[in-house]
Amino acid sequence: MRSIAFTTVPPIEELRSDVEYFRIAEYAGSEAMAIKVCPNGLPGLVFQHSYGRTAIKCIVTDSGRIVHMPTLFLHGQITELAVMNFINGPFVSVQAVLKPHALKTLFGLEASMMTNANRWYADFAAEALNAALVNTKDGQECAALLSGFLLEKLGQALPRDLLIEESLHFIQRNIRLVTVKDLLEHLHISERPFQKRFMQTVGVTPQFYIRVRRFNEAIRLMDTGEYDRLSDVAHALHFHDQSHFIRDMKQFSGVTPKSVSQKVNQFHHDEIGASYLA
């Protein structure tokens, strides 16, 4: 990932409850690229282009789906490894990385309808935004335009599901050992209504969301160099056994934990998630 320059921009104060941050990726090379993107538990609003046209040739998922993308799109939860195939030449990509609940709060969408799906800019009244983004001079200006668009959406926001937002905060604070049972006890709610509300707001079950976030935490722990053995990482994250750890690492990264540990420095990993060259 050395040929791609990454920059992150924090959201303005008004958007911090719904936006993680903006990530700008700039590629100045001439060769085509393919990047494997791991699930991260976060939806997003993405603008990308190469000389005014889409830079993404196609996205191929682990299950074989082939998706063609416009320059500006909104995506929901991604539950499987995906390969983003880029066209030849330089490109700029700017992603507004949204909080897990933001599809509902900002766009009024039931998140479960957006899982492994996307909407093109015309579907959410963003034609003018797309036209303005194509004519920007750099990624920072793109991020500012996306920020303004999301601020307008915030002004039209639906009532928030504060219980689900608290569950997400609780998972984040306790990712190494949290279970759904812990959530139910903390929130004083029964399982069936909680599962339904979580699916509507986040787009996946709480069990799956915890698995994805714990996988990303495993990548982060490997990258610290503080653990000599993979079994120590699995133990630190309270996996039931080594087989569960291996299964999740392979499912979400496409390679075994040993392979991940051997080339963890080749991964681009931050608070958003992990990706690497295919």
Side-chain angles (χ1 to χ4, degrees), residues 192-216:
R192 188 170 182 178
F194 174 67
Q195 293 271 2
K196 181 178 180 180
R197 287 167 65 174
F198 198 95
M199 278 288 295
Q200 290 175 336
T201 304
V202 179
V204 292
T205 66
Q207 293 92 334
F208 186 87
Y209 179 78
I210 290 170
R211 285 179 58 204
V212 167
R213 297 308 300 166
R214 193 164 285 164
F215 156 76
N216 281 272

Side-chain angles (χ1 to χ4, degrees), residues 183-237:
L183 287 170
L184 299 176
E185 292 176 354
H186 174 71
L187 299 168
H188 306 290
I189 188 173
S190 57
E191 183 169 5
R192 188 170 182 178
F194 174 67
Q195 293 271 2
K196 181 178 180 180
R197 287 167 65 174
F198 198 95
M199 278 288 295
Q200 290 175 336
T201 304
V202 179
V204 292
T205 66
Q207 293 92 334
F208 186 87
Y209 179 78
I210 290 170
R211 285 179 58 204
V212 167
R213 297 308 300 166
R214 193 164 285 164
F215 156 76
N216 281 272
E217 178 66 3
I219 296 288
R220 190 191 71 79
L221 292 181
M222 289 181 189
D223 201 24
T224 64
E226 297 175 5
Y227 295 86
D228 296 327
R229 298 177 301 176
L230 290 172
S231 58
D232 294 335
V233 175
H235 180 74
L237 293 172

Side-chain angles (χ1 to χ4, degrees), residues 39-68:
N40 60 12
L42 303 169
L45 177 63
V46 181
F47 172 73
Q48 48 75 37
H49 80 118
S50 176
Y51 303 113
R53 59 178 181 148
T54 183
I56 300 175
K57 185 177 181 180
C58 67
I59 299 175
V60 182
T61 69
D62 207 32
S63 61
R65 290 186 302 116
I66 300 176
V67 185
H68 299 280

Side-chain angles (χ1 to χ4, degrees), residues 14-196:
E14 295 91 331
L15 289 174
R16 287 183 181 173
S17 294
D18 296 287
V19 178
E20 289 284 352
Y21 55 78
F22 298 89
R23 180 167 63 182
I24 302 167
E26 297 174 294
Y27 175 63
S30 59
E31 296 181 357
M33 295 187 62
I35 301 175
K36 288 192 174 183
V37 181
C38 306
N40 60 12
L42 303 169
L45 177 63
V46 181
F47 172 73
Q48 48 75 37
H49 80 118
S50 176
Y51 303 113
R53 59 178 181 148
T54 183
I56 300 175
K57 185 177 181 180
C58 67
I59 299 175
V60 182
T61 69
D62 207 32
S63 61
R65 290 186 302 116
I66 300 176
V67 185
H68 299 280
M69 309 304 298
T71 48
L72 177 64
F73 60 92
L74 180 70
H75 72 83
Q77 289 280 351
I78 305 300
T79 64
E80 55 185 341
L81 186 69
V83 181
M84 300 181 70
N85 296 287
F86 290 88
I87 63 174
N88 294 65
F91 65 82
V92 175
S93 172
V94 184
Q95 180 180 9
V97 183
L98 305 178
K99 300 282 188 179
H101 57 265
L103 289 178
K104 187 173 183 182
T105 55
L106 291 180
F107 292 90
L109 297 170
E110 183 170 325
S112 62
M113 302 299 292
M114 285 289 292
T115 300
N116 292 321
N118 62 80
R119 292 198 175 186
W120 292 32
Y121 54 86
D123 297 330
F124 51 96
E127 295 95 334
L129 173 63
N130 182 69
L133 288 165
V134 168
N135 291 305
T136 54
K137 65 179 184 295
D138 56 34
Q140 294 283 343
E141 188 177 346
C142 287
L145 285 173
L146 290 172
S147 181
F149 177 77
L150 292 173
L151 196 57
E152 290 181 11
K153 290 292 184 183
L154 183 62
Q156 308 161 12
L158 297 175
R160 314 179 77 90
D161 191 331
L162 296 179
L163 182 140
I164 296 303
E165 291 188 33
E166 170 55 27
S167 75
L168 293 166
H169 293 315
F170 189 83
I171 291 170
Q172 183 176 344
R173 293 194 303 268
N174 302 281
I175 189 56
R176 296 194 180 195
L177 70 168
V178 66
T179 65
V180 174
K181 182 180 178 181
D182 297 328
L183 287 170
L184 299 176
E185 292 176 354
H186 174 71
L187 299 168
H188 306 290
I189 188 173
S190 57
E191 183 169 5
R192 188 170 182 178
F194 174 67
Q195 293 271 2
K196 181 178 180 180

